Amino acid sequence: MLRFFSFRLIQSVLVLWIVFTVTFILLMLAPGDPFIGDKKPPDSVVRALAQTYGLDYLATTPEDRRHMSWQQHASQMARAYGNSIRNALKGDLGPSIEYPNFSVTDIIRTSLPVSVALGSLSLVIALWLGIAAGTLAAVRKGRVLDLILSVATLLGVSLPTFVIGVLLMMLFVVYIPLFPAAGWGRPSQLLLPALTLALFFLAYIARLSRSSVLDALAADFVRTARAKGLSTPRVITHHVGANAALPILSFLGPAAANILTGSFVVEKLFAIPGLGTHFVNGCLNKDIPLVLGAVTVYTLIVVAFNLLVDLAYAAVDPRITLR
């Protein structure tokens, strides 16, 4: 177990560093200037802003950059990268360019809990309803209920999230006014965006559960349990559940990460003040410190979920050992 944790810790640090480095390079090479709005300020102001944010490389004009040698490009970018990674190791993600009155740490501290709350509720909805629907479809294989659930889950995995969100808003906000259109803070404002975010994963988990339960139902130990006179619910809960859970567990790590990263569209659509909204604004305005901070946080969440899934493997199936 200790060897496994040591290996995964080194692997996680390496993944974080690679993602941070690639994101930094892409942001620096992307067109646009974060310090220029509708009117270009004087060059002295641009240089002062770039120095404040540790992005001296961007203080040069595009014309000057075109006349630079690749060694000069590499030297300036390396200096900016060194400043960014040193500050990140200290826990200082720097000030935000898009939100000058807040640091990136402050933005993440206030907005990440909103995204986590939305994603957690969406994951719970997708997991429980998806497993229930998939198990029910497997038990009723070939019947009308199975056909209805198969068509519904196919639609769920085919429709994009923003289409689902618009359809739900039209249905439950315009035609049947049960929920508010946007906002955050009340329980009624949480359910509709959580359902929008969960539907794709709910449908996928339902299809995955149906296949896993059908495979488990065809196993010899299930036939033996039924021959002993056990009822179908007891067979499902005591014999099929754990054996059918492994494919679902393998999907939970990426699903949890995708729910958080997929909340960008939902947060924008429902005007939710989560990290996804700030991340989109940071990308549009080339707010390099904010985008780097958000990407680092999301990468850390993905790595943590994948580690939890590996541990859950060993808890569900004793035949799996962590080395």
Side-chain angles (χ1 to χ4, degrees):
M1 180 69 73
L2 182 60
R3 179 181 176 184
F4 171 79
F5 272 110
S6 300
F7 174 75
R8 289 304 300 269
L9 182 61
I10 296 173
Q11 186 183 54
S12 301
V13 172
L14 182 62
V15 168
L16 283 171
W17 173 71
I18 292 174
V19 171
F20 184 93
T21 303
V22 172
T23 304
F24 178 86
I25 293 174
L26 291 176
L27 287 170
M28 296 293 284
L29 296 179
D33 194 324
F35 306 117
I36 299 177
D38 297 333
K39 296 182 180 180
K40 177 176 173 59
D43 292 338
S44 58
V45 175
V46 173
R47 284 194 294 271
L49 287 172
Q51 187 175 10
T52 300
Y53 291 94
L55 302 173
D56 301 60
Y57 171 74
L58 297 177
T60 56
T61 63
E63 291 78 12
D64 293 337
R65 293 175 204 167
R66 280 196 291 269
H67 292 88
M68 285 183 182
S69 64
W70 70 268
Q71 291 94 341
Q72 292 173 314
H73 274 287
S75 176
Q76 289 194 354
M77 288 190 64
R79 189 159 50 248
Y81 172 75
N83 291 334
S84 297
I85 201 166
R86 273 196 302 271
N87 293 334
L89 290 175
K90 296 176 183 177
D92 179 16
L93 299 175
S96 171
I97 302 174
E98 176 66 15
Y99 308 97
N101 295 326
F102 300 93
S103 67
V104 174
T105 304
D106 293 333
I107 295 173
I108 292 175
R109 186 185 300 115
T110 56
S111 60
L112 183 60
V114 175
S115 297
V116 170
L118 177 62
S120 300
L121 181 58
S122 301
L123 185 61
V124 170
I125 293 174
L127 183 61
W128 288 105
L129 294 184
I131 291 176
T135 304
L136 189 59
V139 173
R140 301 291 182 180
K141 180 185 176 182
R143 302 183 185 180
V144 177
L145 182 60
D146 181 27
L147 178 61
I148 294 174
L149 290 175
S150 297
V151 173
T153 54
L154 180 60
L155 288 174
V157 298
S158 302
L159 291 175
T161 302
F162 65 89
V163 174
I164 294 175
V166 171
L167 291 176
L168 290 178
M169 288 179 70
M170 291 176 60
L171 180 60
F172 294 110
V173 176
V174 179
Y175 296 109
I176 308 174
L178 296 178
F179 301 101
W184 184 261
R186 293 177 296 170
S188 59
Q189 294 173 321
L190 178 61
L191 186 58
L192 199 59
L195 185 61
T196 301
L197 186 58
L199 279 178
F200 170 82
F201 301 96
L202 190 158
Y204 194 92
I205 291 175
R207 295 174 69 87
L208 193 62
S209 300
R210 181 181 182 276
S211 300
S212 301
V213 171
L214 284 176
D215 290 340
L217 288 174
D220 293 337
F221 65 87
V222 172
R223 285 194 291 267
T224 302
R226 284 178 169 172
K228 292 180 178 179
L230 295 181
S231 63
T232 299
R234 186 171 179 81
V235 170
I236 294 294
T237 55
H238 287 74
H239 297 276
V240 174
N243 291 277
L246 288 178
I248 301 172
L249 282 176
S250 64
F251 177 69
L252 275 186
N258 288 333
I259 279 180
L260 286 176
T261 55
S263 65
F264 297 168
V265 175
V266 176
E267 289 178 12
K268 270 293 193 182
L269 186 62
F270 291 93
I272 297 175
L275 185 57
T277 299
H278 299 305
F279 178 80
V280 173
N281 292 335
C283 290
L284 293 176
N285 296 281
K286 202 176 180 180
D287 189 342
I288 294 177
L290 178 57
V291 175
L292 275 177
V295 169
T296 303
V297 169
Y298 279 123
T299 305
L300 185 61
I301 292 173
V302 172
V303 170
F305 271 114
N306 286 329
L307 178 60
L308 291 176
V309 168
D310 289 339
L311 295 176
Y313 272 170
V316 172
D317 191 346
R319 296 172 296 179
I320 298 177
T321 57
L322 301 177
R323 298 178 180 177

